[in-house]
Amino acid sequence: MKKFLRKNAWNQEGTFDNSDLFWYAKAVAEMQSRKLDDPTSWWFFAAIHGENIAGDPNSINWNTIKTPPKVPTNPLPSTNIKDKYWNQCQHQTWYFAPWHRGYLMALEIQIRTIVIELKGPADWALPYWNYLNGEKENKIPPAFTQQFLNDGTTPNPLFVTERYGPDNDGNIYIKLFKDGKPRVTQNCELKTVYTGNQNCFGGPETEFSHYGTLFPQESLETNPHNFVHNDVGGVAQGNEGIMSDPNTAALDPIFYLHHCNIDRMWASWNAKGNNNPSQIEWLGGPKEIGEREFVMPLIDGKEWIYTPNDVTNLDSLDYSYDNLETKTESAITDNTSERLKKLGIPTLDHVQLTEDTMDNNEKPTELVGANQGSFEIKNAITKTTVNFSDKGLKKVSKSFLKASAEEVPDRVYLVLENVKGNINANTLEVSVNNQHVGFISLFGLRNASLGDSHGGGNGLSFSLDITNIIDELHLENDLENVSSLDVAVTPDNEILSDTKITVGRISVYREKQ
């Protein structure tokens, strides 16, 4: 039996009657009392994820954050210490899940040590916020919203001023649906391969990636991770909430409960029989290929250098979850058998049709269409036209004409390329030919747009599966006559007047099955 059991934060209605939350608050207060340059302080741990103490004009400076919390910007640790520990978080990469698992484990050790010193339970473990567990638990636990502890006088260290919510009105909840359409989901759990550029669970293959450029369709990081950050943080009165910016997000105590749920989802995905990467470049982490190593401060001045291989299997670690159940609101798309049936293509019993035929691994993709250039996203709906190349469209059409159970027609993706901006907190809805195809969250956009980012300032790119729309055009006998697609992008929340969000290009790619 594991020594430590992580449990649902909504136990005891998410109040301080939940002892996990009570002791978490006590320990967070102690960590917040320590100086910035103390590796065991709350502020130091936040900076491990990301920081902006230097005051980049394109990002939120820690000294402009409205209290609480009162965030220090000095004394700074030495340059060697900063270079070693700070700004490590892995995003838009196959290292996303393992890096954050190690980060949570290190924070949990710090918290548990303090809890024990305060005469709390020796088996304390970090609780998780399962915001996908219905219309009650999608709300932030009440322990995070009261300004004082139950004594009525002690400030609550879990309370944060700059949380604005998905509607920018201070109501903190995760907007699971919009107009009946699934918005924040666990559909990543339906993926069957870990890495890839289109359909995958864990992200694209990269080197050390402290904010990259590509968001694979409905990966664990894309959805629900990014949406939860922006739904909690939001934007109001000209300010983003601190959860909406990767450089401030870990200052918010709810951050760790959010990531605890993300870690739980990875464990759930593995428990379903799905495999993590076996490549040495993943198992050994970026250090294996000469990049920066993953390292966390521990208690008593010790440190922990770790790799994905050290944290890849929950069975080998000293903690577990009380519940690994995950639910999908809807299928990502028709599975292969259902798709072939819809297209009138006979299947054979001896042919094994699984979701592996949908998920991208090393399948070739080819550009078949694009719009005429960049455009800016406004508060009103923004429309553009994607024109097909004659050669590309013919290849897609041909894949239907020769389709069989052994040769499935192409999958088709809409890609928003080189999305750039000076804000992270917006969410966009995308439609094609007046049909909804998905939502995208811009969490991480500002960092990815900066010239010194790992992506060289190229912004973010988002992939959305539009295969069902192409299938319908084929069934209506219109595909060969189609020369373009009408694409519309609509903000899900207000775009501030001083905000600029641009899309470099919208393109369509075919993926041969």
Side-chain angles (χ1 to χ4, degrees):
M1 184 173 179
K2 301 299 179 67
K3 295 192 321 189
F4 308 111
L5 184 66
R6 293 179 177 176
K7 293 172 285 188
N8 193 328
W10 264 94
N11 290 345
Q12 300 297 316
E13 300 301 310
T15 68
F16 283 123
D17 290 337
N18 180 340
S19 64
D20 293 334
L21 296 179
F22 173 80
W23 289 108
Y24 181 53
K26 289 286 191 180
V28 168
E30 170 58 30
M31 289 185 72
Q32 289 180 346
S33 72
R34 299 172 182 176
K35 294 183 178 181
L36 173 61
D37 62 351
D38 183 343
T40 69
S41 76
W42 186 256
W43 324 112
F44 192 99
F45 258 81
I48 292 173
H49 186 268
E51 54 83 20
N52 188 48
I53 293 173
D56 187 326
N58 292 310
S59 192
I60 295 175
N61 195 332
W62 279 19
N63 64 18
T64 66
I65 295 171
K66 296 179 181 178
T67 59
K70 187 176 181 180
V71 184
T73 56
N74 62 77
L76 292 172
S78 69
T79 300
N80 289 341
I81 293 295
K82 288 194 294 181
D83 291 346
K84 181 176 186 176
Y85 287 111
W86 286 11
N87 296 308
Q88 281 190 59
C89 72
Q90 300 295 289
H91 287 279
Q92 295 94 64
T93 171
W94 61 347
Y95 297 131
F96 167 75
W99 182 86
H100 282 85
R101 176 169 283 179
Y103 183 46
L104 287 185
M105 291 172 64
L107 184 279
E108 188 175 53
I109 290 171
Q110 297 287 348
I111 294 286
R112 185 183 300 117
T113 299
I114 296 171
V115 167
I116 294 172
E117 290 173 352
L118 296 175
K119 309 302 181 185
D123 62 350
W124 182 91
L126 186 66
Y128 60 88
W129 176 24
N130 186 8
Y131 31 73
L132 289 149
N133 197 32
E135 289 296 327
K136 181 182 80 171
E137 294 186 24
N138 71 323
K139 300 176 178 62
I140 192 170
F144 290 81
T145 64
Q146 61 187 67
Q147 295 189 39
F148 299 94
L149 298 181
N150 288 345
D151 62 13
T153 58
T154 304
N156 178 10
L158 306 187
F159 177 77
V160 166
T161 298
E162 292 191 3
R163 292 188 195 123
Y164 301 119
D167 304 317
N168 304 333
D169 59 1
N171 182 21
I172 313 303
Y173 73 103
I174 307 308
K175 188 187 292 186
L176 301 179
F177 295 87
K178 182 184 180 183
D179 300 329
K181 293 168 289 204
R183 180 176 173 276
V184 183
T185 75
Q186 298 177 87
N187 286 344
C188 61
E189 293 285 317
L190 297 175
K191 306 294 185 180
T192 57
V193 294
Y194 185 95
T195 193
N197 291 331
Q198 302 290 349
N199 278 312
C200 69
F201 177 81
E205 293 185 29
T206 69
E207 298 177 344
F208 186 100
S209 180
H210 185 56
Y211 314 126
T213 60
L214 178 68
F215 278 115
Q217 181 209 14
E218 288 197 313
S219 66
L220 175 67
E221 181 178 4
T222 304
N223 196 349
H225 169 265
N226 292 342
F227 284 86
V228 173
H229 269 280
N230 280 353
D231 277 1
V232 172
V235 59
Q237 302 168 352
N239 296 314
E240 287 184 285
I242 61 177
M243 270 282 280
S244 295
D245 191 307
N247 287 343
T248 60
L251 292 166
D252 190 333
I254 199 63
F255 169 95
Y256 297 96
L257 276 67
H258 164 35
H259 271 276
C260 193
N261 194 52
I262 293 297
D263 183 75
R264 186 185 69 90
M265 291 178 65
W266 181 23
S268 175
W269 187 77
N270 284 150
K272 293 181 177 75
N274 297 301
N275 296 320
N276 297 316
S278 59
Q279 297 98 311
I280 188 63
E281 295 85 358
W282 187 83
L283 294 171
K287 184 182 179 182
E288 178 70 32
I289 53 177
E291 293 280 314
R292 187 176 173 186
E293 64 189 8
F294 299 157
V295 56
M296 296 292 158
L298 298 179
I299 58 175
D300 300 327
K302 298 178 182 178
E303 66 179 33
W304 175 37
I305 298 173
Y306 68 99
T307 67
N309 192 44
D310 294 326
V311 299
T312 187
N313 189 345
L314 203 63
D315 290 338
S316 66
L317 304 177
D318 60 1
Y319 72 91
S320 60
Y321 289 97
D322 64 349
N323 189 340
L324 288 179
E325 180 181 359
T326 55
K327 300 175 183 178
T328 53
E329 298 292 350
S330 63
I332 299 173
T333 154
D334 293 341
N335 66 36
T336 306
S337 296
E338 291 173 343
R339 184 186 179 206
L340 292 179
K341 182 178 179 181
K342 178 180 176 181
L343 294 171
I345 300 170
T347 59
L348 303 175
D349 291 339
H350 71 275
V351 177
Q352 296 297 313
L353 297 173
T354 69
E355 293 302 301
D356 289 327
T357 60
M358 291 172 50
D359 289 336
N360 178 73
N361 194 356
E362 295 180 355
K363 297 172 184 174
T365 59
E366 179 182 1
L367 178 69
V368 297
N371 73 332
Q372 291 300 309
S374 65
F375 59 91
E376 185 175 352
I377 302 295
K378 301 289 188 180
N379 272 314
I381 186 171
T382 303
K383 298 181 179 180
T384 188
T385 300
V386 173
N387 297 304
F388 284 112
S389 68
D390 291 339
K391 183 179 179 181
L393 185 60
K394 286 179 180 178
K395 288 184 178 181
V396 176
S397 298
K398 187 177 180 181
S399 77
F400 285 97
L401 296 177
K402 62 180 182 179
S404 67
E406 292 88 353
E407 195 164 356
V408 179
D410 293 345
R411 297 206 72 81
V412 183
Y413 297 91
L414 185 80
V415 181
L416 283 73
E417 301 179 25
N418 304 122
V419 182
K420 298 180 183 180
N422 59 354
I423 198 168
N424 306 283
N426 286 103
T427 301
L428 308 175
E429 181 177 2
V430 181
S431 64
V432 172
N433 290 355
N434 296 316
Q435 295 185 59
H436 168 82
V437 295
F439 296 96
I440 58 176
S441 169
L442 301 185
F443 180 72
L445 182 67
R446 176 171 29 228
N447 286 341
S449 302
L450 298 175
D452 59 354
S453 70
H454 276 77
N458 290 318
L460 300 174
S461 293
F462 301 87
S463 170
L464 296 168
D465 192 333
I466 60 169
T467 302
N468 64 321
I469 292 177
I470 302 300
D471 284 353
E472 290 172 9
L473 289 171
H474 166 74
L475 291 171
E476 294 167 1
N477 297 315
D478 284 343
L479 184 56
E480 292 186 2
N481 301 318
V482 170
S483 61
S484 63
L485 297 175
D486 295 323
V487 179
V489 182
T490 308
D492 188 34
N493 53 351
E494 181 184 3
I495 296 178
L496 301 177
S497 59
D498 59 350
T499 293
K500 187 171 184 179
I501 301 171
T502 60
V503 178
R505 184 175 78 166
I506 294 187
S507 53
V508 174
Y509 287 82
R510 65 183 283 262
E511 179 182 272
K512 182 176 174 58
Q513 298 301 291

